[in-house]
Amino acid sequence: MTKPEQTIVQRALWESARVVATRAGADATDFFADDAAADEHTSAILRVARRLAAPTVSATDDAEATRLTRALATIERGASYANDEQRPAERQRSRGASSYPLTEPALDETFLFNDETPSSGPSSGGHEAGNEAVSDDYRVLWEGLRRALSEAAGGECEAWLAALKRYTWAVPAAGGVSLYEQARTTAALAVSLHRADWDAAALADYEAALDESPPANNAAALQRPVAWLVKGDLSGVQDFLYLLTSAGAARGLRGRSFYLQLLTETLAAWVLREVGDLPSVNVLYAGGGHFYLLLPAPITDSRWDELRQRLATTLWQAHAGDLGCTLARVPLNAHDLLTAGELAERWQALGEISSSLKQRKWLELGNVTMFERLFEPQDHGTTPEKMCQVCQHEWDASRDELRDEIRKCSRCFGFEELGKQLREVKHLVRFAVAPQPLTQVVNWQTILAAFGAHVELVAGDAPAPALPAGGVESVVVERIWAEKSMPDWHSAERECFDWTGVTASYGWRLLAQATPSKTDENGATVVAEFSDLAEAADGAHWLGVLRMDVDDLGEVLRAGLQGHAALARLSTLSETLRLFFEGWVPQLCARYNGGSKGHQVYLIYAGGDDLFVVGAWSALPQLARQIRDDFARFVGGQHITVSAGIAIEHAKYPLYQLAETAGHALDAGAKGLRPEKDALQFLGQGVGWDEFKQVENWHRRLRQMLENGMPRSLLTRLSEIHASYVENAQKQYALAAATGTGGISTSQIKEQIQYARWQWRLVYQLSQARERNKTHEAELSALQEALVRDDRFIGLLRVLARWTELQTRNPQTNE
């Protein structure tokens, strides 16, 4: 980043600081004194960039509300976005606008689930007492922000970003946009405009077109390219995580997952460096195995192709085809950024290009090289003794490890060590170095170094790591944010992480982590194996996998951008989801570890809009339901939903097959159940979340009945009744299909299904059970009434019976 660009970024970011100071009523002229002497050309670039980043934000930066409205709560989803013309009204919009507290972000109920309605600001006629409270909130934020920016004055862009994100993310701009996200996207666009080398006349044309109401969308100035919107997408992630075969695979799984996050961030930074030493503000998002960048427009096709080829070549050398990364791009102009709907269209087009490139994986290598590496025989790993027992790649005794009689290649051993370090990590130190050529010893550290990053994990009060050999361009020290309150930096920490001749930037990061542990035979604490998780399950000692994600996320973001053509709004929406999945979900998972039932949950991944959990099967349905309920509170209604798939099996069942089954349960079972999705598939059957609450309630009641003397034969009777119901339903539908409609309506077919042999069998069986078990007479009568009255509940009787049977089974006798 050049000196002029550093000034541009600082000014763009510090605009948000100036807003906070103004709203706090603070005299900050001395703090911004150096900033006031900027030249007119830089000022013009920033004015244009600010308008393009958030067109709905007023020129004076005054928001209509004093608190940041929850962006996800403002989204309305009509039939065109829900793919369902009959979508209920409550699923189209939230329960009403709510806001974040005017504080630093926090991982607690007050910040994440606050239902307070945004109040009017001091200039809008609000109550005097309320205005005083708001002013006090701004004063607290300004005091912290001023102190943090003063400490970061000698640092780089990352230090300013960390300080501003802490103190201005929950400060409102307008249109549901975070003041921090507005400043960050403004800085990214300003750098792009500066790289385009626009003269004063071009900027004046832009400003003139922007000043028209509405902006002159057909003006030549607004059709001029502003930047490239770029998506990087890792491929092969599923197999990389789950195609593991040895008994020690669980210990490296968390390390593999975190490595993917580090690789995603490192590749984003590598692209910025290779394009021309761009600042980190040009990373719009990095997580979930993909990243979005804003790059200056003048990038030739040949330069772009060369960049993609180098990326593919290095990843092939590092992972032998297991992991790849595609780079897709679409151009953006002012018309795209200003016009409601256009940015959403460009975003969708980018996703389609990226998907198309993933279908032609490794094409970037070139035809000859691709053929050689994919189709010609390779003279290594030809016998079992020369293969890693974890990943099935080459194992060489001269360089690789043999631990506990298990052959582990340098990559797999490194992932296991990384997983161990994550359990105690307190700081993450990222050194920017010159890219290093890959050596024969390939592990996660050497792979990241090939893309110009040297990463160290520091546990507890351990000393700062030494500077890597070969020179360091910059260093960022990030405190892990694992507590409810955001971590603060103390002078002692700054003294500890201090390297002569290198200026460090200090920040923080979320780390989605909930790792089960156990004590080994030597008394050391280690990561629990999958068999240990299965042993911790109630009833049957089985293992389970839970996968969840947001329904129709692309359409949600598309709906969220309608009427709000703003990169800043898109960035706010993405960061909001990150708070929930990376900040709140780990806390929910951690509740299942260390209690009276031992350690039951292993959070492998949570980020973006999805999660993957391995654990004791009996804990997963309750965990999934809690995540779904909290997500509804988080977004403020049923207009944005999540679905889940759960697969369970014996502990020795291959993880990749269990993961694949859970993925199918999520995509085909839960999401395929009904148009609005919002469902769970469990024990092979899709269940709407509203219906699952009824099943869960009766599961709890049946367990209590069995604990109090009710014979387990009741569960067998319930399964038989459900089988009779299904048999009759299939017969009625087959009969209707064979004879044609014949004037028989759908409601008549349902009536013939509902009032059939299964029902009198139900009444008879439960009547007999009441006669033999007088203490449970009331509960059995209530169950009978619920099954007869609700035609949906009878369809879920098998899930109820099977769930209860598994969770009350004696693991010693398997009964």
Side-chain angles (χ1 to χ4, degrees), residues 234-307:
L234 293 183
S235 58
V237 169
Q238 301 294 323
D239 290 347
F240 176 78
L241 281 177
Y242 312 131
L243 281 177
L244 309 178
T245 57
S246 80
R251 297 180 183 178
L253 193 55
R254 181 67 184 100
R256 283 175 173 260
S257 175
F258 187 63
Y259 162 73
L260 289 175
Q261 178 64 29
L262 290 177
L263 181 62
T264 302
E265 296 171 4
T266 299
L267 292 182
W270 179 81
V271 173
L272 293 184
R273 178 190 302 198
E274 293 299 312
V275 167
D277 194 25
L278 291 167
S280 59
V281 291
N282 287 71
V283 179
L284 299 179
Y285 177 82
H290 54 258
F291 55 84
Y292 292 92
L293 310 175
L294 202 64
L295 302 183
I299 304 176
T300 63
D301 290 346
S302 59
R303 177 76 178 95
W304 183 248
D305 291 341
E306 185 265 339
L307 188 71

Side-chain angles (χ1 to χ4, degrees), residues 547-615:
R547 301 181 74 165
M548 299 183 74
D549 68 21
V550 175
D551 296 323
D552 302 318
L553 179 64
E555 294 174 356
V556 168
L557 295 178
R558 183 182 174 90
L561 286 175
Q562 295 302 312
H564 300 280
L567 279 175
R569 180 171 172 81
L570 191 59
S571 182
T572 302
L573 290 169
S574 299
E575 193 61 33
T576 299
L577 287 171
R578 171 170 272 173
L579 273 176
F580 182 82
F581 282 97
E582 295 185 33
W584 185 250
V585 166
Q587 295 188 54
L588 296 180
C589 293
R591 296 174 185 176
Y592 291 85
N593 291 336
S596 59
K597 295 182 179 180
H599 289 246
Q600 295 184 299
V601 165
Y602 195 171
L603 177 59
I604 305 303
Y605 171 77
D609 74 311
D610 62 345
L611 59 91
F612 184 99
V613 173
V614 180

Side-chain angles (χ1 to χ4, degrees), residues 170-246:
V171 173
V177 173
S178 157
L179 188 62
Y180 166 77
E181 302 295 350
Q182 175 199 336
R184 189 166 69 93
T185 50
T186 295
L189 283 165
V191 170
S192 296
L193 292 172
H194 181 266
R195 289 288 175 97
D197 197 24
W198 288 9
D199 57 23
L203 290 169
D205 288 343
Y206 246 81
E207 290 196 85
L210 292 172
D211 287 338
E212 296 187 24
S213 183
N217 291 335
N218 294 321
L222 299 188
Q223 301 297 329
R224 184 172 179 175
V226 173
W228 288 100
L229 182 61
V230 173
K231 180 181 182 181
D233 200 348
L234 293 183
S235 58
V237 169
Q238 301 294 323
D239 290 347
F240 176 78
L241 281 177
Y242 312 131
L243 281 177
L244 309 178
T245 57
S246 80

Side-chain angles (χ1 to χ4, degrees), residues 477-539:
V477 181
E478 295 173 312
R479 172 79 175 269
I480 301 301
W481 182 13
E483 305 84 11
K484 292 186 181 298
S485 299
M486 190 172 290
D488 201 358
W489 278 98
H490 303 287
S491 58
E493 288 181 300
R494 289 181 176 276
E495 292 176 2
C496 174
F497 295 97
D498 183 34
W499 296 271
T500 303
V502 178
T503 300
S505 295
Y506 302 91
W508 48 270
R509 71 178 294 138
L510 289 167
L511 178 62
Q513 182 162 249
T515 304
S517 62
K518 69 173 185 178
T519 303
D520 66 9
E521 61 275 9
N522 299 319
T525 300
V526 297
V527 176
E529 294 288 355
F530 295 150
S531 57
D532 300 313
L533 298 178
E535 287 291 322
D538 294 337

